[in-house]
Amino acid sequence: MARDVSMEKESMTSEALNAPVTAQRRVRDDLEDYIPKPYMSRALVAPDTSHPHGTRGHRHNNLTVLQQHCAFFDQDGDGIIYPWETYMGMRALGFNIVASVIMAIGIALAMSYPTQPNWFPSLLFPIYIHNVHRIKHGSDSGTYDTEGRYVAANLENIFSKYAKTKPEHLTLGEIWEMTEGNRDAFDPYGWWSGGILYILARDGEGFLSKEAVRRCYDGSLFEYCAKVQAGVHSKTT
């Protein structure tokens, strides 16, 4: 009986004595107390322990969570994102002209061709939302699976592993540590994407909250930030 208990404990442990990194980057073992089947890939919503049903009021429109993340930049809703639409989206989020141009060009060059419905590239560099699962970048946490669905357990693991200064919040240094822990070789876009999110959504104390990260995954963060920016502009004009 004692041996059975010992074996059960070993089978459930997430730390190995001869791998100190497993103790330094701990994972939560209580997620099922908050989220039903946290390990299951979810197609339409992005839950966490505080929001087990995803973002209240956010419409998924039968898009995957990854498609929802991208759909904000589809300014005319035709399922295709052109570089000028990415530029307008970045401006709506509050990025300046130079940064918006650079990001629009970089995103188009990196992501357009893999989403094309045929072998012939388009000089307009469109990104087809229908195929955005093909451009899921590396150096990430695996919160999106390869089909663009959302895995809640992997979002929670980001914060259990790397949020050392303040629970459920990341500093810029902790984001860098996370990137170092997950990065793939020759994947510069994946390396700096976390920094862009930090610039966009950090709070007044310089922290990036889990709620901001979660809402980035389903795109509702972009909608919120755009409304805030529109409110700021309306007050100053």
Side-chain angles (χ1 to χ4, degrees), residues 68-174:
Q68 294 170 49
H69 170 84
C70 300
F72 169 80
F73 297 95
D74 180 14
Q75 300 288 307
D76 57 7
D78 65 353
I80 305 172
I81 305 170
Y82 292 99
W84 53 89
E85 291 182 296
T86 303
Y87 169 81
M88 290 188 290
M90 291 298 179
R91 292 291 289 148
L93 293 176
F95 290 100
N96 63 38
I97 293 175
V98 174
S100 297
V101 168
I102 292 172
M103 286 189 282
I105 293 173
I107 289 170
L109 291 175
M111 297 186 173
S112 174
Y113 184 67
T115 71
Q116 301 297 295
N118 50 53
W119 291 102
F120 301 101
S122 168
L123 295 179
L124 296 178
F125 294 98
I127 295 172
Y128 287 79
I129 291 179
H130 180 73
N131 293 324
V132 292
H133 61 281
R134 299 177 182 174
I135 55 173
K136 186 181 87 74
H137 63 75
S139 306
D140 64 4
S141 64
T143 304
Y144 291 128
D145 71 7
T146 51
E147 292 73 39
R149 293 174 295 232
Y150 171 94
V151 185
N154 290 342
L155 171 72
E156 299 296 338
N157 286 342
I158 293 174
F159 289 86
S160 64
K161 287 182 178 182
Y162 299 104
K164 306 300 184 184
T165 307
K166 185 178 179 181
E168 301 195 348
H169 293 75
L170 295 171
T171 65
L172 182 58
E174 289 165 347

Side-chain angles (χ1 to χ4, degrees), residues 176-191:
W176 177 253
E177 183 183 352
M178 179 192 71
T179 303
E180 288 287 290
N182 291 286
R183 77 175 184 171
D184 298 332
F186 310 113
D187 179 35
Y189 178 78
W191 301 343

Side-chain angles (χ1 to χ4, degrees), residues 7 11 42 64 88 95 98 114 147 154-155 163 192 216 236:
M7 291 178 64
S11 71
R42 287 165 161 82
T64 67
M88 290 188 290
F95 290 100
V98 174
E147 292 73 39
N154 290 342
L155 171 72
W192 54 259
C216 177
T236 56

